[in-house]
Amino acid sequence: MRVQYLIGNTKSSYNWSSMIVDDEQLKKMPRNIRKFYRGQNELAERYMEVDSLLDSDISHVMIRDYTSGVSSGSRRTAVPANIDEEGLAFLSTDAREEYSGIITLAIIVNFLINIFLLTGKGVIVLLTNSISVIASLVDSALDFLCTTIIWLSTSMAESRNSSIRFKYPVGRSRLEPIGVLIFSIIIIVSFLQVAVEAVQRLYSGSREPVKLGLPSFSIMSMAVVLKLFAWLWCRSINSSAVQALAQDAMSDIVFNLLSIFFPVTGYLLGFWWFDPLGALLLSIYIIYQWVETTFEHIRNLTGVTGDAVDKKVITYLCMRFADSIQKLTAVNVYHSGDRLQVEVDVVVDDRFSLRDTHDLGEALQYAIETLPMVERAYVHLDYRGDNFVGHIQR
């Protein structure tokens, strides 16, 4: 009875799947209209994920746990984790360890690939004097450094011992984007040096075209194949560290293809300047890519507001969570590294007891934290809608 009193009937009253426009219809639309409906499809699918979460009676189970005296530490394991939608379940310890293992495996595989490519490109540099290949060697050396930095930051972020929890009460998940940020700065500075060397060769370098022999060509081709494999795999793993490796792998695919193209084309056409020009263009390309990444992580680490779609999904979850939630007076969603911090101000009936409002608010907090993009949620309960909202701005 208490569960029904606090939660009520929270079954979805709308069929969001009816909003989804199929691919065949999208193809017939003008580009600007197609973009709108694709966004609508994404939002409807996200709402369907929330419906799947709440229709699993997750809120009812948590309130029953409170009533029966289940401890806070075991409450998460009592929640049903039978939701098939992407990430929308309380992850068990085994699931978290499996996810962590996938990230570690991806980092190790990239590490081994980078060792092989670094060795191979070192041999090519000894056989040729191509500045494009030297740029590619620098890229592989930085890949090796990138993987090392990301492995260290990921390992530190995932540490769960008690002393770490005492020193870092909210965890160290921000170490992952900080590791990516450090590497971004290193790679930008390094390729600025490569660009300077390329300019110097254009003005005062050798006038003989560089010849890229069959062994060198084979190693560079192998680099493209291995990086293509790494990109296809890493892009499917939802971790900022592994996503950085995926981005780097895609950059390497383009980089290695052009590192082959410029010296070979220059040799065939007799253009000595084609190789240093190619190295200059490659350096500009890499610098541009990583400057974007740098600014993205700086924005996230300094608390930029979250995506509008994420905010809509969180708002929808709060309003659907329980009939006793009368309104939301504030929903603040902002980055704290890769994932989001959420603050919601919820108005409930002032006739509720402290026990009831506590249980409702904490259950809502855990439900919001179930969302895969959320790091931590804070629920402020109020009895009227015209009280102060938020915090003092400093």
Side-chain angles (χ1 to χ4, degrees), residues 53 56 63 67 91 95 116 136 162 215 273 283 316 319 324 328 352:
L53 172 69
S56 69
I63 296 297
T67 303
L91 295 179
F116 172 77
S136 186
S162 58
W273 47 267
S283 299
Y316 178 65
M319 291 307 300
S324 53
L328 301 180
F352 279 9

Side-chain angles (χ1 to χ4, degrees), residues 168-194:
Y168 301 91
V170 297
R172 299 193 294 184
S173 60
R174 294 177 187 83
L175 281 174
E176 284 191 53
I178 288 173
V180 176
L181 182 60
I182 291 171
F183 173 70
S184 300
I185 295 170
I186 292 173
I187 201 168
I188 289 168
V189 172
S190 300
F191 275 97
L192 282 173
Q193 294 298 315
V194 174

Side-chain angles (χ1 to χ4, degrees), residues 2 6-7 59 62-63 66 75 317-318 321-322 324-325 344-348 352-369 377-382:
R2 181 168 183 260
L6 288 177
I7 302 298
S59 52
M62 281 190 288
I63 296 297
Y66 283 114
R75 188 175 301 127
L317 185 152
C318 292
F321 186 77
S324 53
I325 294 177
V344 294
D345 286 45
V346 179
V347 177
V348 296
F352 279 9
S353 67
L354 174 60
R355 177 187 176 215
D356 289 339
T357 53
H358 165 272
D359 291 358
L360 180 65
E362 192 164 272
L364 175 58
Q365 171 198 312
Y366 286 143
I368 297 171
E369 290 176 350
Y378 302 91
V379 176
H380 173 251
L381 296 167
D382 213 331

Side-chain angles (χ1 to χ4, degrees), residues 109-279:
V109 169
N110 275 273
F111 190 77
L112 295 175
I113 290 174
N114 291 333
I115 290 177
F116 172 77
L117 296 182
L118 183 61
T119 305
K121 290 177 183 179
V123 173
I124 297 174
V125 169
L126 294 176
L127 297 174
T128 69
N129 193 33
S130 168
I131 184 65
S132 293
V133 176
I134 291 175
S136 186
L137 174 65
V138 171
D139 185 54
S140 290
L142 289 170
D143 286 346
F144 184 83
L145 178 61
C146 169
T147 308
T148 303
I149 291 173
I150 287 175
W151 176 75
L152 288 172
S153 61
T154 302
S155 299
M156 293 173 69
E158 292 177 352
S159 178
R160 295 287 185 267
N161 65 61
S162 58
S163 63
I164 294 300
R165 288 185 178 274
F166 178 76
K167 292 181 180 178
Y168 301 91
V170 297
R172 299 193 294 184
S173 60
R174 294 177 187 83
L175 281 174
E176 284 191 53
I178 288 173
V180 176
L181 182 60
I182 291 171
F183 173 70
S184 300
I185 295 170
I186 292 173
I187 201 168
I188 289 168
V189 172
S190 300
F191 275 97
L192 282 173
Q193 294 298 315
V194 174
V196 169
E197 175 65 22
V199 170
Q200 289 176 345
R201 289 202 182 191
L202 282 171
Y203 278 97
S204 58
S206 171
R207 296 300 190 259
E208 291 295 324
V210 174
K211 182 178 180 180
L212 198 66
L214 182 60
S216 302
F217 183 83
S218 300
I219 293 173
M220 296 298 290
S221 299
M222 180 65 71
V224 173
V225 173
L226 290 174
K227 284 297 181 176
L228 180 61
F229 162 75
W231 175 70
L232 290 172
W233 183 33
C234 290
R235 69 173 183 165
S236 64
I237 300 174
N238 186 24
S239 160
S240 69
V242 180
Q243 287 299 313
L245 293 176
Q247 177 190 342
D248 192 53
M250 173 49 69
S251 297
D252 286 343
I253 293 169
V254 176
F255 203 95
N256 288 308
L257 284 172
L258 294 177
S259 295
I260 298 171
F261 171 78
F262 284 115
V264 169
T265 303
Y267 178 77
L268 293 176
L269 299 179
F271 296 156
W272 65 268
W273 47 267
F274 214 64
D275 181 52
L277 177 64

